Amino acid sequence: MLTDLFAGQQYDTSNFFLIAGPCVVESEELLLEVGEKVSTICRNLGIPYIFKASYRKANRTSATSFTGVGDETGLRLLQKTGAAFKVPVTTDIHAHDEAALAAQYADILQIPAFLCRQTDLLIAAAETGKVVNVKKGQFVSGPSMKFAVEKIIKAGNEHVMLTERGNTFGYQDLVVDYRNITWMKEHGVPVIMDCTHSLQQPNQTSGVTGGNPQLIGTIASAAIATGADGLFIETHPNPAVAKSDGANMLKLDLLEALLQKLVKIRKAVV
């Protein structure tokens, strides 16, 4: 599955892979800026790369939050970015009737954590034949994610990935249990660590989710050390003005140094 995704990219097969990009499609200029920067870094470090951006944000705290530039416009821009840098692209879907449309433009369909148990959504994603990346719910254990994997496989699609993104133990914070990486790898699928959403501080009274981006390196380092196959990092040239999840995104200028460190960790543990 991963070999097919990264066909055409030159990379070190012992490396982890990276899913990275801005939280949401804000503009063509933003996608191309981030895509060019990250793809260049990954190519230089031998890291296989998947570009990420949400074409629409359905799961916003406030009704006044930015949701997107329009579905087909956002999807076309996402596809254009992948083509420009010759990398696969991924985006999330929130309802079963979004799957077929998104699959026309994206190589991987991402299932948001809150929706990881939605059977009709998982089956619709599976039936597109695309790779399906399911984020583990904040309320779900690693071992219980076997049921999400089973639903997709029973629908005729064996191209499944799972993503760890922390668990809720309080009203306004998340905690990462790294045992989940080992447990989810036992399901026989690639396992990814979401290094940015796992640092969210949800349920803020302002209606805007907070975060702890200064700990992204800590989360990522521990994930590589415990055997994660891939990393998910949302990044933006200026997170302070990002239209979604700016509080927990990594500033684009900080990405290269972090990845250099992580490549060294990976070489030490494989």
Side-chain angles (χ1 to χ4, degrees):
M1 171 179 63
L2 294 179
T3 302
D4 292 340
L5 275 177
F6 303 128
Q9 294 190 50
Q10 298 295 319
Y11 60 92
D12 184 342
T13 55
S14 67
N15 255 335
F16 57 89
F17 63 90
L18 177 68
I19 301 174
C23 180
V24 65
V25 175
E26 297 179 18
S27 67
E28 179 175 353
E29 292 74 20
L30 173 67
L31 298 196
L32 294 176
E33 178 182 358
V34 174
E36 181 177 22
K37 178 77 171 181
V38 181
S39 63
T40 299
I41 293 170
C42 287
R43 185 167 55 251
N44 291 340
L45 293 175
I47 299 171
Y49 175 45
I50 300 165
F51 182 83
K52 180 271 167 185
S54 297
Y55 74 94
R56 174 156 57 96
K57 297 297 293 184
N59 50 341
R60 304 307 307 276
T61 301
S62 171
T64 61
S65 296
F66 177 79
T67 58
V69 295
D71 290 359
E72 293 207 33
T73 298
L75 286 165
R76 289 194 186 99
L77 291 176
L78 183 67
Q79 184 183 56
K80 181 177 181 179
T81 304
F85 304 108
K86 297 180 173 59
V87 297
V89 298
T90 184
T91 194
D92 43 339
I93 58 173
H94 299 84
H96 70 277
D97 55 1
E98 295 177 28
L101 175 62
Q104 295 178 39
Y105 301 90
D107 303 284
I108 303 168
L109 299 182
Q110 179 180 288
I111 307 300
F114 283 127
L115 302 175
C116 70
R117 296 178 63 186
Q118 295 298 107
T119 301
D120 60 345
L121 177 59
L122 293 173
I123 291 175
E127 289 177 343
T128 67
K130 298 290 184 174
V131 177
V132 183
N133 177 24
V134 188
K135 287 196 171 184
K136 181 183 71 60
Q138 301 92 323
F139 46 87
V140 177
S141 71
S144 68
M145 286 300 291
K146 70 177 182 181
F147 299 110
V149 174
E150 288 174 355
K151 289 176 183 178
I152 295 167
I153 291 176
K154 287 181 179 178
N157 187 339
E158 296 186 354
H159 304 308
V160 190
M161 302 193 293
L162 295 176
T163 295
E164 164 64 24
R165 52 100 76 231
N167 283 83
T168 300
F169 286 95
Y171 290 107
Q172 293 174 316
D173 211 352
L174 297 170
V175 175
V176 177
D177 181 350
Y178 286 93
R179 296 176 299 176
N180 283 321
I181 291 177
T182 298
W183 285 331
M184 290 197 293
K185 284 173 73 74
E186 292 175 357
H187 303 324
V189 300
V191 174
I192 303 154
M193 180 72 228
D194 184 337
C195 304
T196 43
H197 291 98
S198 60
L199 290 167
Q200 283 183 330
Q201 293 179 312
N203 303 318
Q204 301 294 321
T205 55
S206 64
V208 179
T209 298
N212 286 299
Q214 69 276 12
L215 294 175
I216 291 172
T218 301
I219 295 293
S221 298
I224 294 300
T226 49
D229 300 293
L231 299 176
F232 178 108
I233 300 175
E234 287 191 337
T235 183
H236 193 285
N238 186 359
V241 300
K243 295 184 178 181
S244 177
D245 278 359
N248 54 266
M249 275 200 279
L250 182 70
K251 195 171 189 298
L252 186 58
D253 288 345
L254 302 177
L255 181 63
E256 185 170 12
L258 173 59
L259 292 177
Q260 289 172 341
K261 173 184 175 182
L262 297 174
V263 167
K264 292 177 181 178
I265 296 174
R266 176 73 167 194
K267 288 180 179 177
V269 298
V270 295

